[in-house]
Each structure stands twice: as C-alpha cells, then as structure tokens.
Amino acid sequence: MDNELELIEKAKQGDKEALTELVKKYQDTVYNFAFKMCRNKDKAENTMQDTFYNMIKSLNQFDGKSKFSTWLYKIVANNCFMQHRIEKKYEVEDFAEQEEIYDNINSLDIQMIPDLNVENKELQLILDEAIKKLPEEYRIVFVLRDIQGLSVEETAEITKLSIPNVKTRLHRARKFLKKELTKALELEK
C-alpha cells in the first residue's frame, strides 16, 4: 500500500488487508509505548491488544486532523490510564504529599536521555527503576516527550493537558528522575 491515508481509508471501508497492514506497521510502536508506560511485559501486551481492538472499533472516528500515530498514542495512553485506575482502586496514595516532595527537588536543566540507548546496562536498570517510580501523570508526559520524541503540542493533544501543564509535569518528572539517579549513583560509590 502506497500512502498511509489511503491505507486508513481502505481499512475504514472494511479492507482486512489494509487493517492488517496498519496493525503490523504500528505494533512495535504501540507495544514499546505501552511497555514504557506500564513497565511490565504482560500489561504492555494487554494494552497493545486493547489498543488495536479500540483502533478497529473507532477507526471511522479518525478524521485526519492529526497524525495517525498521535491518534493511536491517545488510545494507548487511555488504555494505560484505564488499567492503572483499575489497579489503583485497591491502593491509597497521598498525592498532596508527593507534590510537596517534587516541589522541593532541585531543578533539572539538562535533557534526559531521549531514546534510552544507554551503553551502561547498570545505568539503564537504574533509569528504568526510576521511571517505574514516576507517578502515572508525570510518566506519560516524560515518555511522550523525552523517550518518544513528540512535541509539546502533540503531548498536550494526547494527554488532553494544556501546554503549560505538560511543561510543568515534564519538569517535575525530570527533577524526580535526576534525584533518583543521583541517589542511586551515590549508593554505587
């Protein structure tokens, strides 16, 4: 198939081959994003299945005003949030206390490793553990901006946040990760 928009239109009209091609084209992207959000292989696989099910079910709602990948990221993010909400029904967290902690962390003025291609496997593990500790609302912004490389505008569209709110959450996520990495590296000495 030549053009992605043609592929989408054919899939909307019920062309199973076009739909299969769309799934194949985006399966790695969806899985990788879901894994970076969920930090768990099984949850990422479930999220990927839910995402493609939702994509097929609502493909006719894609209007082409944004990139198809941005629309798909929204579906993945919603599925991750839904799964997180279901899991959190049984946990009690004090987000006000967490906000106070984040506000007291030193600012981070360097950009974090954008694609996580870290040669040092120990550092990779430390970074992965730090990302797991990020609250969901900060993790999604961090993953979209610093790992997936999306723009602030695309991140705002996907998360349904204002641009200043995206920037604030990204700043807090980076500060938190800097603190976690510093703490972990000091323990290594």
Side-chain angles (χ1 to χ4, degrees):
M1 304 272 164
D2 300 320
N3 183 322
E4 185 174 85
L5 290 176
E6 283 178 29
L7 193 63
I8 293 166
E9 284 308 311
K10 286 181 179 181
K12 283 181 177 182
Q13 295 168 11
D15 184 330
K16 289 182 182 178
E17 217 175 278
L19 194 56
T20 301
E21 199 168 322
L22 272 178
V23 170
K24 283 181 182 176
K25 180 177 181 176
Y26 285 101
Q27 68 186 6
D28 290 341
T29 302
V30 168
Y31 176 81
N32 289 334
F33 180 58
F35 183 80
K36 288 169 185 169
M37 288 301 301
C38 301
R39 311 310 290 177
N40 176 289
K41 184 179 183 268
D42 293 333
K43 290 178 186 176
E45 288 172 356
N46 289 338
T47 299
M48 183 174 72
Q49 288 176 1
D50 291 345
T51 297
F52 286 122
Y53 172 76
N54 292 338
M55 179 196 83
I56 292 166
K57 194 170 74 172
S58 59
L59 190 57
N60 286 327
Q61 295 174 15
F62 177 69
D63 57 12
K65 290 181 182 175
S66 65
K67 291 193 282 185
F68 185 74
S69 60
T70 301
W71 182 76
L72 206 52
Y73 277 126
K74 284 183 196 179
I75 296 172
V76 178
N78 286 337
N79 286 330
C80 285
F81 282 139
M82 191 63 71
Q83 187 171 10
H84 183 69
R85 281 187 204 118
I86 290 168
E87 291 170 3
K88 289 296 176 186
K89 280 184 180 180
Y90 304 104
E91 293 180 25
V92 178
E93 292 186 8
D94 183 0
F95 287 107
E97 185 178 306
Q98 285 182 1
E99 285 290 329
E100 186 177 317
I101 292 168
Y102 297 133
D103 289 339
N104 292 327
I105 298 172
N106 293 332
S107 67
L108 175 66
D109 50 11
I110 59 166
Q111 186 170 11
M112 294 302 295
I113 304 161
D115 61 356
L116 297 181
N117 286 332
V118 180
E119 291 178 15
N120 184 331
K121 290 195 186 269
E122 270 183 55
L123 185 57
Q124 178 69 50
L125 291 173
I126 293 168
L127 184 57
D128 283 345
E129 286 302 311
I131 291 171
K132 283 182 191 177
K133 293 178 185 177
L134 274 171
E136 190 81 14
E137 66 269 17
Y138 296 144
R139 187 182 319 144
I140 189 166
V141 171
F142 176 77
V143 169
L144 288 169
R145 284 284 297 128
D146 285 354
I147 296 176
Q148 298 300 119
L150 299 181
S151 69
V152 173
E153 293 78 11
E154 289 171 316
T155 302
E157 183 181 338
I158 291 166
T159 58
K160 298 177 183 153
L161 296 170
S162 67
I163 289 174
N165 205 342
V166 167
K167 290 178 179 180
T168 298
R169 288 183 185 194
L170 181 61
H171 178 74
R172 288 179 178 165
R174 289 174 176 169
K175 287 192 322 184
F176 176 83
L177 292 172
K178 179 182 179 185
K179 179 183 176 191
E180 289 296 311
L181 290 174
T182 301
K183 191 172 24 173
L185 293 173
E186 286 174 359
L187 292 175
E188 294 276 321
K189 291 180 181 178

